Amino acid sequence: MKSKVLLFGPYSKDGLAWSNFGAPPLGVHRIASYLRKRYHKVDVVDPDLEKITEKSFQNLVTKNKYDFIGISPTHLTLENDLALVHLAKRCSPNSTIVAGGQEATFAYDLIFDNSPVHVVVRGEGEKPMLRMTEAPVSGGLMERFGNIKGLIIKDKGVAIPTGCAQPLDNHEFEEVTLGIDFKDIPYDKYWDRTRGLYEDDLANVALRKKRLHEIYAMRLFETNYCPRGCTFCSSTNFQNTVAGKKGTKVVSLSPEAFIKMVESAYLAYPSLKRALIQSDNFLDNNRNQRIKKITELIKLKKGETLPKEMSFICQSRVDNVTPQMLGYLRESNFVMIGYGVESFSKRMLDELNKRVGPQRAEQTISNTLSAGILPYVNVILTSPKSTPYDLFHTVDKCIDYLDLGAEVGSYVCIIPIPGSALASNPESQSLIEAAQVKIPYTNKSFSKTIRLLPEDPLLQELVHRFYEVINDKKSECMEQYNIKHIPARINTLITFSTLYGLAKKLRIPKYGELADRQISRIQKALVNI
Ligand code: SF4
């Protein structure tokens, strides 16, 4: 018997998901495509894109009588995601409610305690979801799903794991990734919405091309996980936890399969101008030959099955990139590489287990600029053991790189995401700031971890003051510079300027005196962005 399934992506409710360039929940769409190919009927809803209301959500769920309703909550949106689960349960009491993804894999207790979710799928969702949709429709949850690996079932108030599941192998990963039906994903709606924010820039000849490539872009992934084990990230633990052992093999698309994926995205949306490849291992240093092959194929296909002008962005660790790779990438129009630099302080890099020194980051950024590719430098400004020096040293380096044309994305504090080593480290617990958050449409609330503070008292005060004022600073900037949209690169400039303003107020040695000079450099960057 074929099932009716509703899957919905994370729900930020206040537009958080749109503070950068909005994008569909690709992992959810990948599961939907996989199930549809096996003749199940699947609807996908992005609650932010659809601007879902209590009433419209209730109408959708009541009318369709879904067998399964699935959510993919994130840490940042968890209370809103759970709100939709409560609504779904009220309107469709007979549906089986499922949660999956990284947050659900690690925070299943919290999800079971605060919502009527029946089953958590840990790890990749395609195979367990398929088996659930094809399981007997009658009987208790354990009878129906107890023999499917990789689940946690809430049965009579107890969370029961069904055993470890193996991650997708190369063949399966290629099958599910190439199976994504891009035409079923409403990219045009996302693009129209972003375009509406940039009409002024599009009328400006100097900016038009750049903005069109930013708007008509798709995020694609080509690897199953990352094995590098940085302490603030849950990626490594995600697959290993589900498999029940360390050392899960990294699987990725072959060069030919990678090109097929991009071609099928373009075939579905001929206005596509840019592919953003989201994988820290895309440029793995053993992969010179792979990158050579991929970039040769891109050049071969351009003007035929790919648009002539197509641009690419990828991500990388700083220690993965070779000058040779940069040459290949530039020739095939990779215009930007996002680097997970995290910090220019050796002490912080060690604490974050980056296993690379700041000199390597500086060398890679400089090589990237020399190759004619824009580096996008991602930094985290504090960690439990960090000092004001660590923060401002990194900010200063970033301001230098902004002057050289790089872009910078920043987080002031680590978000203690479930599954990351820092979130579960006993030494970090007293530094984790949590807030009681209400689940909309219910009278329930729960304690949610918000940020991991530095233990240095002066830095902690700086961080607290920063969060008190940052929203007002953003509003002031939008008005002063006539900005309609704050993507990460602008957010970073406002962040740096605010931090330096506070350094002056708090008279932080050395950096308080530097504040006026650095703020004026940041303001210049804001005018030119
Ligand atoms: S931060 Fe990047 S390199 Fe580190 S574990 Fe996560 S994905 Fe891998």
Side-chain angles (χ1 to χ4, degrees), residues 43 52 56 61 98 119 129 134 178 184 190 194 199 263-264 266 277-278 290 330 355 376 383 391 395 410 412 521:
D43 293 330
I52 206 114
S56 64
V61 173
V98 183
V119 179
M129 275 303 290
E134 295 182 345
L178 294 187
D184 290 339
Y190 290 88
T194 309
E199 286 303 348
E263 284 175 331
S264 92
Y266 176 53
I277 301 142
Q278 291 205 296
R290 180 172 184 269
R330 181 58 245 162
R355 296 184 228 179
Y376 187 102
S383 60
L391 182 150
V395 169
S410 63
V412 171
R521 289 175 73 193

Side-chain angles (χ1 to χ4, degrees), residues 254-272:
S254 66
E256 292 76 13
F258 173 84
I259 294 297
K260 247 192 212 173
M261 171 177 67
V262 185
E263 284 175 331
S264 92
Y266 176 53
L267 191 65
Y269 282 96
S271 39
L272 177 68

Side-chain angles (χ1 to χ4, degrees), residues 287-319:
R287 293 174 147 197
N288 254 339
Q289 286 312 309
R290 180 172 184 269
I291 292 303
K292 183 167 184 260
K293 179 79 184 163
I294 286 178
T295 50
E296 279 171 1
L297 286 170
I298 289 174
K299 282 191 279 179
L300 200 71
K301 301 286 182 171
K302 276 194 175 180
E304 297 194 357
T305 50
L306 292 180
K308 221 177 185 154
E309 297 271 287
M310 183 152 188
S311 61
F312 293 83
I313 290 181
C314 64
Q315 297 176 325
S316 178
R317 283 178 57 95
V318 292
D319 51 349

Side-chain angles (χ1 to χ4, degrees), residues 348-365:
M348 252 187 86
L349 289 173
D350 290 344
E351 189 183 354
L352 301 178
N353 194 32
K354 287 301 287 188
R355 296 184 228 179
V356 65
Q359 292 81 6
R360 182 66 200 261
E362 290 170 30
Q363 185 61 57
T364 296
I365 293 168

Side-chain angles (χ1 to χ4, degrees), residues 226-236 280-281 317 340 342 354:
C226 172
R228 300 300 194 107
C230 302
T231 52
F232 59 91
C233 177
S234 60
S235 176
T236 304
D280 272 14
N281 292 298
R317 283 178 57 95
E342 321 313 354
K354 287 301 287 188

Side-chain angles (χ1 to χ4, degrees), residues 50 59 112 130 184 188 226 256 262 270 276 279 293 297 312-313 320 326 353 387 437 442 455 478 491:
E50 306 295 341
N59 286 345
F112 283 142
L130 178 65
D184 290 339
D188 42 355
C226 172
E256 292 76 13
V262 185
L276 289 99
S279 152
K293 179 79 184 163
L297 286 170
F312 293 83
I313 290 181
N320 278 348
L326 290 170
N353 194 32
T387 64
V437 290
T442 72
E455 62 187 22
M478 287 178 90
N491 188 50

